[in-house]
Amino acid sequence: MSDKTNKKRGKAYLVGAGPGDPGLITVRGKEILEKAEVLIYDYLAGTKLLRHVPKDAELIYAGKKGGVKHTHTQEEINRMLVEKVKAGKRVVRLKGGDPFIFGRGGEELEELVAAGLSFEAVPGVTSASAAATFAGVPITHRKFTSSVAFITGHEDPNKKESNIAWDKISTGVGTLVFYMGIKNLESITANLIKHGRDPKTPVAVVRWASRPRQQSVVGTLDNIAKIVREKGIKPPALTIVGEVVSLRDTINWYEERPLFGKRVIITRTREQASELVALLDENGADTYEHATIAIQPPDSWEELDAALQDISRFQWILFTSINAISAFFDRLYSKGLDARALHACKIAAVGKVTADCLLEYGLKCDLLPEKYTGEGLAEALENVGVKGEKILLPRAKKAREVVPERLRQAGAEVVIAPVYQNVPTAENKEILKAQLLDKQVDLVTFTSSSTVTNFVHMLEVADKKELQELMEGVKIAAIGPITAKTVVANGLQVDIQPDTYTIPAMVDSIVSYYTSPKV
Ligand code: SAH
């Protein structure tokens, strides 16, 4: 379907975002997001997917929160979509769940067809499917049902003639899933009972399915509306009606994960947060990333450039962080060199993560300490013997001096080459403060001393007392003793600290903290 009037490659992509868990978008959907020039996204699409979109893409929030004033009308959205595609852009229209299931995806594509524009459509995991899976309710099951219906619960109950064949669906379909039905739950359940469905049929209502803040309640047709009101369940939520709901007692797995519902703040550089976030997410935590540090190039490349002029005179190059590795190689490449320039040097890494990162650059470490710390690295090199050797240490501008000091004492000549610097960033500092003031946080994780210092700095507190008040009831996890010391120096207390200073060990400690009987 090509647009003959437009020479440019403008195209629309209607993409299903899935139900909210950012892992539940399709591979094709993610590929398309990564190449978006314009993104028009809905309230239900979930902001976590925005990380896949190129930084310079234009983001348009289309809104559409049930019951709340719409940010853009459907007509405005259709018009924007057509205009942006006509302007030659790759426009991604991202919608919650599946765009064709109560998503008006059809209407938007009809507009594009009418305007003669080209498009691609990508399905998504619809929220009914997600709600069933994450509430432990198989939507069909041989023992209970062989049919399912997806029904809108949005229909005005006072409408004279319903488009829904209540007389047929009430008893004619096994599992019924109502979208947008929270407001009308009383009339929906009354209609089903009136048309012959057993009032004792089990019902589950699932809010924010697949997200860490998922909530679900179970009842029967004759009492679920009351339960939902009492528990204050608000949209977006789905109502699943049918015998299959009884299987939840056996299968409920998602809400049973050890950190389910725990709200955890991650304070790391944006570049490094992913491993920690992934592990916490897998255990069910509700994670919020607040970058306290940004990585920037050093003020001067002088030392590294000088070293690179004759790198073979160094017997050793030490890598103590993955940031140092990527910055080092970027600079090396910019000089027209590659890894072969290092052929005469031995290479040491501080730990497994840095060693694996070096492998990606085609380099195997000659030395990896048993203990993954600066001290461990210095000790390992002392044992090998470095007297009279020249050692290059590309690293952060400001870092602990223990490695160079110990190696110099051991008789080596150490050249420190700053290849990046950590600068505090205060992105989202208002959000962070509001979360703490509203007591919406269970745990804060710190993975280095500077994350502690910058976190405190971001909160702009007058003194330790104000900080303590803000952090009252919030648990703190610190990756190791040095980070813990900085926490204590700020007048706070460390609740969780692993024995090994790695991210997986820290997450293990967090899990055992919350699953041990005392909590
Ligand atoms: N196209 C979407 C549905 C949009 S209609 C899809 O395929 O899922 C909006 C309704 O979807 C909401 O009122 C709610 O009933 C349901 N919904 C969407 N996401 C949900 C979620 N994460 N949890 C529970 N219900 C959800």
Side-chain angles (χ1 to χ4, degrees):
M1 201 176 296
S2 73
D3 177 12
K4 294 183 192 76
T5 59
N6 188 1
K7 300 269 177 300
K8 286 191 175 170
R9 69 205 148 84
K11 188 169 173 182
Y13 297 83
L14 177 66
V15 177
D21 177 329
L24 292 174
I25 188 167
T26 59
V27 173
R28 179 64 186 144
K30 179 168 167 269
E31 269 170 17
I32 289 171
L33 282 185
E34 283 164 353
K35 291 190 193 135
E37 287 172 331
V38 179
L39 175 76
I40 308 178
Y41 66 104
D42 278 359
Y43 170 62
L44 287 172
T47 49
K48 286 198 169 175
L49 288 172
L50 300 187
R51 73 167 84 113
H52 298 306
V53 176
K55 284 205 177 74
D56 55 356
E58 181 187 357
L59 302 188
I60 301 172
Y61 176 57
K64 294 246 226 114
K65 191 169 165 181
V68 176
K69 198 170 158 282
H70 289 180
T71 313
H72 289 284
T73 61
Q74 187 62 45
E75 290 67 36
E76 280 169 351
I77 296 169
N78 293 353
R79 205 175 324 122
M80 267 191 300
L81 192 59
V82 168
E83 269 168 24
K84 298 285 176 190
V85 179
K86 276 194 174 156
K89 304 282 187 200
R90 294 171 65 90
V91 186
V92 182
R93 177 71 179 107
L94 186 68
K95 284 178 160 284
D98 184 287
F100 281 180
I101 300 181
F102 303 122
R104 303 202 186 179
E107 293 168 42
E108 293 181 18
L109 293 189
E110 280 168 332
E111 290 284 329
L112 290 164
V113 173
L117 299 170
S118 56
F119 64 81
E120 176 179 330
V122 182
V125 173
T126 191
S127 51
S129 177
T133 304
F134 293 106
V137 175
I139 215 165
T140 72
H141 189 290
R142 279 197 297 170
K143 255 204 245 152
F144 297 103
T145 172
S146 35
S147 59
V148 189
F150 292 169
I151 305 148
T152 173
H154 192 50
E155 197 175 63
D156 182 353
N158 301 319
K159 202 166 149 187
K160 280 231 178 67
E161 269 188 49
S162 171
N163 287 332
I164 300 167
W166 292 102
D167 55 332
K168 303 209 169 70
I169 61 158
S170 296
T171 51
V173 180
T175 308
L176 305 167
V177 186
F178 290 89
Y179 288 66
M180 304 170 279
I182 294 306
K183 213 170 108 231
N184 296 336
L185 201 54
E186 279 81 4
S187 69
I188 291 169
T189 48
N191 261 327
L192 293 174
I193 295 172
K194 185 173 133 199
H195 289 94
R197 193 74 179 224
D198 182 352
K200 294 297 166 210
T201 310
V203 183
V205 171
V206 187
R207 178 172 198 242
W208 283 127
S210 86
R211 301 202 191 191
R213 56 169 147 158
Q214 172 175 313
Q215 248 181 312
S216 44
V217 290
V218 178
T220 47
L221 262 188
D222 57 0
N223 69 12
I224 191 72
K226 190 164 159 270
I227 295 174
V228 163
R229 299 298 162 234
E230 277 169 8
K231 295 259 161 101
I233 308 273
K234 303 251 160 18
L238 286 157
T239 306
I240 309 176
V241 179
E243 300 306 328
V244 283
V245 171
S246 62
L247 289 162
R248 175 175 157 84
D249 294 342
T250 322
I251 299 177
N252 189 11
W253 61 279
Y254 184 76
E255 293 167 16
E256 309 266 301
R257 293 178 308 165
L259 302 179
F260 181 74
K262 293 276 175 290
R263 291 154 302 182
V264 182
I265 293 208
I266 321 284
T267 57
R268 292 199 70 164
T269 59
R270 169 95 46 252
E271 291 78 2
Q272 293 175 334
S274 52
E275 187 193 7
L276 181 57
V277 172
L279 286 172
L280 289 170
D281 282 352
E282 197 174 324
N283 283 292
D286 190 358
T287 48
Y288 298 90
E289 289 173 57
H290 286 290
T292 60
I293 293 177
I295 306 285
Q296 281 184 5
D299 297 329
S300 153
W301 287 103
E302 209 178 308
E303 286 87 351
L304 184 67
D305 287 353
L308 289 178
Q309 277 189 357
D310 182 12
I311 189 95
S312 302
R313 72 195 152 93
F314 291 97
Q315 278 81 37
W316 283 99
I317 307 179
L318 315 184
F319 290 102
T320 50
S321 76
I322 52 174
N323 291 317
I325 299 175
S326 59
F328 176 88
F329 281 97
D330 285 349
R331 192 69 183 173
L332 184 81
Y333 296 155
S334 77
K335 303 270 165 209
L337 298 168
D338 62 23
R340 287 170 296 178
L342 315 183
H343 68 95
C345 314
K346 278 174 283 185
I347 291 184
V350 71
K352 190 165 167 358
V353 177
T354 32
D356 288 347
C357 178
L358 283 165
L359 270 183
E360 287 173 26
Y361 288 88
L363 295 171
K364 264 189 167 171
C365 284
D366 299 288
L367 183 133
L368 184 64
E370 254 170 49
K371 261 206 217 134
Y372 297 163
T373 59
E375 283 80 354
L377 178 62
E379 192 180 321
L381 283 159
E382 284 159 5
N383 290 341
V384 179
V386 286
K387 197 167 188 321
E389 309 225 304
K390 284 199 179 59
I391 300 180
L392 179 63
L393 178 55
R395 60 162 216 195
K397 192 173 149 207
K398 255 205 254 155
R400 292 196 309 132
E401 296 302 331
V402 51
V403 177
E405 271 169 13
R406 282 183 58 168
L407 296 177
R408 280 179 189 135
Q409 267 166 23
E413 183 193 322
V414 182
V415 173
I416 296 174
V419 290
Y420 69 98
Q421 55 182 330
N422 290 317
V423 287
T425 151
E427 229 181 282
N428 300 336
K429 71 175 175 204
E430 283 80 20
I431 300 178
L432 172 63
K433 195 151 183 180
Q435 284 176 325
L436 289 168
L437 279 171
D438 295 348
K439 297 287 161 212
Q440 284 177 29
V441 179
D442 294 295
L443 173 73
V444 180
T445 59
F446 293 114
T447 46
S448 70
S449 279
S450 41
T451 58
V452 183
T453 314
N454 293 339
F455 174 80
V456 173
H457 182 75
M458 258 168 96
L459 293 175
E460 294 173 336
V461 285
D463 51 24
K464 280 187 183 170
K465 196 166 152 270
E466 194 188 338
L467 179 65
Q468 284 160 352
E469 277 168 16
L470 209 51
M471 294 291 285
E472 209 197 314
V474 179
K475 305 289 178 215
I476 293 181
I479 197 162
I482 296 160
T483 309
K485 225 169 117 190
T486 314
V487 171
V488 173
N490 278 287
L492 300 172
Q493 193 190 316
V494 174
D495 303 281
I496 302 164
Q497 193 185 318
D499 294 333
T500 348
Y501 320 145
T502 63
I503 299 281
M506 178 154 110
V507 175
D508 284 348
S509 308
I510 294 172
V511 168
S512 27
Y513 179 82
Y514 280 108
T515 46
S516 72
K518 69 177 168 29
V519 182

